[in-house]
Amino acid sequence: MTNFVEELRWRGMLQDIMPGTEEKLNEGMTSGYIGFDPTADSLHVGHLTQIMTLIHFQRAGHKPYALVGGATGMVGDPSGKSDERNLQTEAMVEHNLAGMKKQLSKFLTFEEKGNGAVMVNNNDWFKDMNLFTFIRDVGKHITVNYMMAKDSVKRRLDGDSGLSFTEFCYQLIQGFDFYYLWKYHNCLVQMGGSDQWGNIVTGTELIRRKDAGTAYAITTHLIKKADGTKFGKTESGAVWLNPERTSPYKFYQFWLNASDDDTKKWIRIFTLKTKEEIESLEKEHDAAPHLRILQKALAEDITIRTHSEEALETAIKTSEFLFGNGSLEFFATLSDAQVLEIFEGVPQFELSRQELQQGLDASTLLAEKSSVFASKGEAKKLIQGGGVSLNKEKIKEATAIFNTEHLLNGKYIIVQKGKKNYFLLIAV
């Protein structure tokens, strides 16, 4: 059995730990849990820190519980939020739960024996509980003074939007989750992001006051990017674990494009590589930063575990096609949906198949029939300078003729202006 807390510590993940927690974990197999709110039918990279925490917990010989908040997902947690969240219907929550279960199964080993992971839904113990039972059996043990002292509550009370009674009660609800899992599943530890410390401690306090029991708490750092922007967000929105929401190619690119400073932190947090392996990779990277050795190692590791080796291979080939010397044979293997995924955000122009069939010279194709260039003169100038490629081949003359034979997959023409500016022409 490895030391779970020490593992979090050297990886730079550990934020807060309740006294006695490390000693308790070192005594032998211990059950612990992390809660996930089903606010969407997919987890995103912002959840990966907690997923990795459960992975390390299980690898250290402990028994991980993943609590999906079927009940709390219909309420909303004020921690770390400036506004009240929209409430969800029971049907929405059930749909989201199914997607999350499927994803968590990729990271954790779920089995009944030994330290196999267990998934629980707090709606199972809240669905038959009425208000009077809750305020009698839970509310009487925690004072309003105690609840008001929490930072998450103070911030919202001092803000413009205030705090509803619904969200004010959230820490009691999460506290009862901990109590229930402690009492009926022997979960002695609750883990979570550092913004959850107040809610987690409310749970340990409820266990102490209600049953004179002892429970423990651990939180991990909230991940931030070195440039101050929010981790897990891109210009097009959140980076999801569901390939239908974020393609494996874009998922791979998110990690590949990380800064050196971020990658040196993230490779410790989001991979299972050992300290020696990481330090060796760092030396290689520092000797030749332009090769982006660390970024590639991080992107490959997390893409395989989130998706598959096949998805990684497609992501790499797509990257090579767009930014290197990838072959047109690879493009021919892509479906229309995959092509549009790859070129999402890239300027796209429709061409008349009939006009293309008759043949169009390069400057007309790129300036009049599309808006790759503002004018024929601008197109000619850059073509003569060798700065324009069509279907990965440089255009040598502005008078070169292109027709439907140049359509890839019978539908597309890929134009490249300079090294990184892509345009997709679609014959209709």
Side-chain angles (χ1 to χ4, degrees), residues 206-224:
L206 180 62
I207 289 166
R208 185 185 71 81
R209 294 185 183 187
K210 188 170 169 59
D211 275 16
T214 302
Y216 303 91
I218 294 176
T219 63
T220 52
H221 289 290
L222 296 179
I223 308 301
K224 295 178 182 177

Side-chain angles (χ1 to χ4, degrees), residues 353-417:
R353 187 180 291 272
Q354 190 174 1
E355 287 183 338
L356 190 61
Q357 206 158 12
Q358 296 168 6
L360 296 168
D361 65 76
S363 58
T364 300
L365 176 68
L366 302 178
E368 285 188 4
K369 301 304 177 181
S370 67
S371 300
V372 175
F373 291 96
S375 67
K376 282 188 172 185
E378 186 186 336
K380 287 177 183 177
K381 187 176 178 180
L382 198 57
I383 288 170
Q384 287 167 359
V388 184
S389 296
L390 189 145
N391 294 344
K392 307 299 284 185
E393 288 188 17
K394 286 197 182 296
I395 303 175
K396 295 177 182 177
E397 299 288 342
T399 54
I401 300 297
F402 296 95
N403 55 39
T404 50
E405 291 181 9
H406 293 89
L407 290 172
L408 299 177
N409 298 8
K411 191 173 184 179
Y412 306 104
I413 291 176
I414 300 168
V415 180
Q416 198 172 352
K417 185 166 68 172

Side-chain angles (χ1 to χ4, degrees), residues 136-150:
R136 183 194 65 197
D137 293 349
V138 181
K140 66 175 286 188
H141 296 286
I142 302 295
T143 66
V144 171
N145 309 59
Y146 180 89
M147 295 170 71
M148 294 278 284
K150 292 289 186 288

Side-chain angles (χ1 to χ4, degrees), residues 34 40 79 100 121 136 173 225 228 231 237 244 258 262 292 295 308 311 353 381 392-393 397 400-401 405:
I34 293 177
S79 303
M100 292 171 65
N121 179 352
R136 183 194 65 197
I173 296 169
K225 292 172 81 171
F231 170 72
E244 293 178 7
D262 285 332
R292 301 181 74 75
Q295 282 89 345
S308 66
R353 187 180 291 272
K381 187 176 178 180
K392 307 299 284 185
E393 288 188 17
E397 299 288 342
I401 300 297
E405 291 181 9

Side-chain angles (χ1 to χ4, degrees), residues 259-391:
S259 69
D260 285 358
D261 287 343
D262 285 332
T263 306
K264 286 180 179 180
K265 293 177 183 174
W266 296 355
I267 199 164
R268 285 166 163 73
I269 296 169
F270 299 115
T271 77
L272 297 174
K273 295 183 185 299
T274 65
K275 192 174 184 180
E276 293 72 26
E277 287 173 327
I278 292 171
E279 288 173 349
S280 175
L281 284 167
E282 285 175 334
K283 285 180 183 177
E284 287 183 57
H285 179 90
D286 291 341
H290 64 284
L291 296 178
R292 301 181 74 75
I293 290 168
L294 270 183
Q295 282 89 345
K296 287 177 182 176
L298 170 64
E300 289 176 9
D301 186 285
I302 193 63
T303 301
I304 287 173
R305 282 188 297 114
T306 303
H307 298 295
S308 66
E309 288 196 28
E310 185 182 0
L312 170 66
E313 188 179 338
T314 301
I316 291 173
K317 284 181 178 178
T318 303
S319 301
E320 288 172 350
F321 179 79
L322 291 175
F323 307 113
N325 299 311
S327 68
L328 294 179
E329 285 78 10
F330 165 70
F331 191 88
T333 68
L334 300 175
S335 66
D336 282 349
Q338 288 174 314
V339 170
L340 296 176
E341 263 179 15
I342 291 168
F343 288 96
E344 184 185 348
V346 169
Q348 299 176 13
F349 304 102
E350 291 187 347
L351 296 173
S352 164
R353 187 180 291 272
Q354 190 174 1
E355 287 183 338
L356 190 61
Q357 206 158 12
Q358 296 168 6
L360 296 168
D361 65 76
S363 58
T364 300
L365 176 68
L366 302 178
E368 285 188 4
K369 301 304 177 181
S370 67
S371 300
V372 175
F373 291 96
S375 67
K376 282 188 172 185
E378 186 186 336
K380 287 177 183 177
K381 187 176 178 180
L382 198 57
I383 288 170
Q384 287 167 359
V388 184
S389 296
L390 189 145
N391 294 344

Side-chain angles (χ1 to χ4, degrees), residues 46-65:
H47 292 108
L48 276 175
T49 307
Q50 300 315 317
I51 292 172
M52 293 305 300
T53 301
L54 287 179
I55 291 172
H56 289 305
F57 195 70
Q58 187 169 48
R59 282 166 60 93
H62 301 298
K63 189 173 184 67
Y65 278 71

